[in-house]
Amino acid sequence: MSQGDTVPLHPSSQSDIDEIENLINESVQSGPGTVLAARPPSPTRPSIPVSSSSSSSPFMQSNLPPLHPSSSAQKVTHVPVPPPLPAVSNSSNFQGASAFGSPPNTLTEPVWDTVKRDLSRIVSNLKLVVFPNPYREDPGKALRDWDLWGPFFFIVFLGLTLSWSASVKKSEVFAVAFALLAAGAVILTLNVLLLGGHIIFFQSLSLLGYCLFPLDVGAVICMLKDNVILKMVVVSVTLAWSSWAAYPFMSSAVNPRRKALALYPVFLMYVSVGFLIIAIN
Amino acid sequence: MDESFANLQSSHLLGSVPAVISDDKRSTNVPIASVNEGPSASMQIFPPNLGNNTKGYQTLESPTVEGPAQQPSNNWKGFFNVYSYTQYFDVDTDVVLNRLMSSLYPTSGDFFNKIDANPDLYGLVWICTTLVFVLASLGNCATYLVKKRTDSNAPWIFDVNYMNLAASIIYGYAIIVPLGFYFALRYMGSKADLLRFWCLWGYSLFIFVPTSLPLLIPVEFLRWVIILLAGSASSCFVALNLRSYLETNNDITVVMAAAFGLQMVLSIFIKVWFFP
């Protein structure tokens, strides 16, 4: 054991050899012939504890540096072990939380993720309402995850666009446009309810708001171009597009014998908006 | 009485001090009063209980049966319930179209016969809304054409206040005038139905919607001819239908004249304000 310890450590072995040589030299100088025969065991006895003590001290001194790196190595190996274990447990906890539901995630998520998710929902609803898709005839599927942010944005955007287009009375133009669109959606929904139709109030508001998207595009184009004929063409196309988008929802909500009574007010509102877009300059 | 005597005897037997005797007398008085009060209280308790029971029973039943509690609740709930108004919109597309066509023939006078089953408010609401939009938009177009004709270089600006003015005039007229006639006729003792009046005046305004298109022609004389013809037709429609509705009353001439006059005033106002 001790030899094994000393063999790999050359500087410690050299120091031990030097000490042994010193001890031998001291014993030769001090001892006569006969006395040497009798005295060598006595100096060997005191020499043994001295050498053992001296050797033990350098052993300990030599052991300390190698123990330190070995202990530090062990610590280095121990330090990364706890992090992965709690990391694994944390990840499992997060996975469990995500499996149960999104509230914890949404509570701790960055604001940008929240905004991105809301924007993606608005975009998907817009695609379902304004562009062709197989669910147009079924309001439940077409606008299952309805919201009011999209309609609010489109109404305010259209009001602002018309207000910017107007050369005079900007605030009055915005007020009329906003009142026409906001109150119009409410009145159209009430009209369907009063005709005995089955409709979800806020879903209808949401759909009518999304149907304004084509007219918003038309308003922007008319704001940039000042040609009257081009304005009429653009508004006619966007008006037809908005009416086409609103048609299946409103027609499926009421009795077929009253379909025209429910659809006419919607068309009237979009014509009013179209006229405002053309006339305001 | 006997009990009181017994108490007195017991007090004498005790041979107490006179003061104590007086206390005994008071104590004897108190139980007498309590004894007297006890049966009286017990006797009084029974009739009030019976009375309370009968009265409570009657009072509990009578409001529930007669319905003073139910009627206010029904009225209150119905006022804010959207579905309570569906009876006024219980019409189909063909019925509304038929009534619109009837409003274009003022001399028939049988409009109330056609709406006898179910007068509606759909016509009133959406004819007025259409007329507001048509007057606001075509009114601006008319000013545009006039300006182009007189001074083609001047820039034309859309007047958004036409929308507010049109809404105020048309909705105000369509709501207030039938209401005024309703109260006047009720005051005169004649039969009057507010819903039918709103229906009549609502459909009478329909003729102004197609008339607004010819009014765009920038010729002053032609505009006056068109508006007077439309106004006369609308006024005759209202007056003749009122006459057929109030045929049993003697003061019908005043009512017809008032209705005719108001309708003409409205048509002239439309001409002067929106198609100058």
Side-chain angles (χ1 to χ4, degrees):
Chain A
M1 295 292 289
S2 63
Q3 293 178 355
D5 289 339
T6 56
V7 166
L9 300 173
H10 297 287
S12 65
S13 64
Q14 291 177 357
S15 64
D16 291 339
I17 292 170
D18 293 335
E19 290 175 358
I20 293 170
E21 290 177 355
N22 291 329
L23 291 172
I24 292 170
N25 293 330
E26 290 176 355
S27 65
V28 169
Q29 291 176 359
S30 64
T34 56
V35 175
L36 286 172
R39 289 180 180 177
S42 64
T44 55
R45 289 181 179 176
S47 70
I48 291 173
V50 170
S51 67
S52 67
S53 67
S54 66
S55 67
S56 67
S57 64
F59 280 133
M60 293 188 70
Q61 291 177 355
S62 67
N63 284 331
L64 287 175
L67 285 174
H68 286 300
S70 66
S71 64
S72 66
Q74 291 177 357
K75 290 180 180 178
V76 168
T77 57
H78 285 299
V79 167
V81 171
L85 289 175
V88 170
S89 63
N90 288 334
S91 65
S92 66
N93 288 334
F94 287 154
Q95 291 176 356
S98 64
F100 280 114
S102 60
N105 275 355
T106 56
L107 186 62
T108 57
E109 71 178 3
V111 173
W112 172 241
D113 288 350
T114 306
V115 173
K116 189 189 296 183
R117 186 175 64 256
D118 288 340
L119 289 178
S120 66
R121 184 172 71 170
I122 290 174
V123 170
S124 66
N125 282 335
L126 186 67
K127 290 179 179 177
L128 285 171
V129 171
V130 176
F131 296 101
N133 65 83
Y135 302 123
R136 286 184 78 245
E137 299 297 332
D138 189 352
K141 293 181 179 178
L143 206 61
R144 180 186 299 275
D145 190 16
W146 58 265
D147 65 291
L148 294 179
W149 276 118
F152 181 72
F153 172 78
F154 292 136
I155 288 174
V156 171
F157 183 83
L158 187 57
L160 288 177
T161 304
L162 293 176
S163 174
W164 288 330
S165 300
S167 54
V168 296
K169 300 178 181 177
K170 291 176 180 292
S171 62
E172 290 175 356
V173 167
F174 180 84
V176 168
F178 189 86
L180 177 66
L181 295 169
V186 173
I187 292 169
L188 294 178
T189 305
L190 289 177
N191 182 55
V192 171
L193 290 174
L194 291 170
L195 288 173
H198 302 287
I199 204 171
I200 299 169
F201 187 79
F202 286 104
Q203 189 185 31
S204 174
L205 290 188
S206 179
L207 181 115
L208 291 173
Y210 275 110
C211 291
L212 286 175
F213 172 76
L215 285 167
D216 281 10
V217 175
V220 172
I221 295 173
C222 292
M223 183 173 66
L224 300 176
K225 303 293 182 181
D226 198 18
N227 189 355
V228 175
I229 296 177
L230 179 62
K231 277 187 172 183
M232 296 182 78
V233 172
V234 168
V235 169
S236 298
V237 171
T238 55
L239 177 65
W241 187 3
S242 293
S243 302
W244 170 83
Y247 173 83
F249 186 77
M250 284 297 175
S251 61
S252 64
V254 295
N255 195 326
R257 291 178 299 164
R258 302 178 178 181
K259 187 182 293 186
L261 299 185
L263 287 170
Y264 170 71
V266 179
F267 183 72
L268 177 66
M269 184 176 82
Y270 289 148
V271 168
S272 303
V273 174
F275 177 80
L276 287 178
I277 294 171
I278 293 175
I280 293 175
N281 56 356
Chain B
M1 295 293 290
D2 294 336
E3 292 178 353
S4 64
F5 284 123
N7 291 333
L8 289 172
Q9 290 175 359
S10 64
S11 65
H12 285 293
L13 289 173
L14 290 173
S16 64
V17 181
V20 173
I21 290 170
S22 66
D23 290 336
D24 288 343
K25 288 181 180 179
R26 291 179 180 177
S27 66
T28 55
N29 287 329
V30 169
I32 290 170
S34 66
V35 168
N36 289 329
E37 289 178 354
S40 65
S42 65
M43 291 180 70
Q44 289 178 356
I45 287 171
F46 284 103
N49 288 333
L50 293 175
N52 288 333
N53 288 334
T54 56
K55 291 180 180 178
Y57 182 71
Q58 291 175 353
T59 54
L60 284 173
E61 276 192 345
S62 58
T64 56
V65 172
E66 293 176 359
Q70 287 181 352
Q71 291 177 357
S73 66
N74 286 338
N75 294 336
W76 183 254
K77 290 180 180 177
F79 187 80
F80 287 104
N81 189 4
V82 173
Y83 294 99
S84 65
Y85 297 102
T86 54
Q87 56 182 330
Y88 307 125
F89 289 79
D90 189 15
V91 285
D92 295 337
T93 305
D94 53 349
V95 173
V96 171
L97 291 178
N98 190 10
R99 295 177 180 181
L100 290 175
M101 292 299 107
S102 301
S103 67
L104 296 177
Y105 300 98
T107 57
S108 60
D110 60 347
F111 187 74
F112 283 121
N113 291 331
K114 292 187 175 180
I115 67 171
D116 191 23
N118 58 340
D120 69 289
L121 291 178
Y122 181 91
L124 173 71
V125 170
W126 293 111
I127 288 171
C128 288
T129 306
T130 305
L131 190 56
V132 166
F133 164 69
V134 165
L135 291 181
S137 60
L138 298 188
N140 275 285
C141 288
T143 57
Y144 173 79
L145 293 176
V146 169
K147 187 175 289 293
K148 279 293 181 180
R149 190 184 183 192
T150 57
D151 189 358
S152 61
N153 291 327
W156 174 75
I157 295 173
F158 175 78
D159 190 354
V160 77
N161 287 325
Y162 272 44
M163 190 77 72
N164 302 329
L165 183 63
S168 303
I169 294 298
I170 300 301
Y171 285 127
Y173 180 90
I175 293 171
I176 294 171
V177 169
L179 203 63
F181 271 88
Y182 169 77
F183 283 118
L185 289 172
R186 291 297 293 254
Y187 179 77
M188 292 163 58
S190 175
K191 68 170 182 177
D193 187 0
L194 182 57
L195 192 60
R196 284 187 171 80
F197 280 7
W198 267 329
C199 189
L200 173 69
W201 260 272
Y203 280 100
S204 71
L205 296 176
F206 175 68
I207 195 169
F208 293 112
V209 173
T211 306
S212 299
L213 283 171
L215 285 173
L216 282 174
I217 302 172
V219 179
E220 186 69 8
F221 174 76
L222 194 55
R223 285 183 172 179
W224 275 108
V225 170
I226 292 169
I227 198 61
L228 288 178
L229 284 176
S232 301
S234 182
S235 303
C236 288
F237 176 79
V238 173
L240 292 179
N241 282 287
L242 275 180
R243 183 182 68 177
S244 65
Y245 185 70
L246 306 169
E247 60 189 356
T248 60
N249 197 313
N250 294 326
D251 298 333
I252 190 173
T253 307
V254 176
V255 175
M256 288 176 61
F260 191 95
L262 282 172
Q263 204 78 359
M264 290 301 297
V265 167
L266 176 69
S267 60
I268 292 172
F269 186 88
I270 288 172
K271 164 65 182 68
V272 170
W273 271 93
F274 297 103
F275 303 94

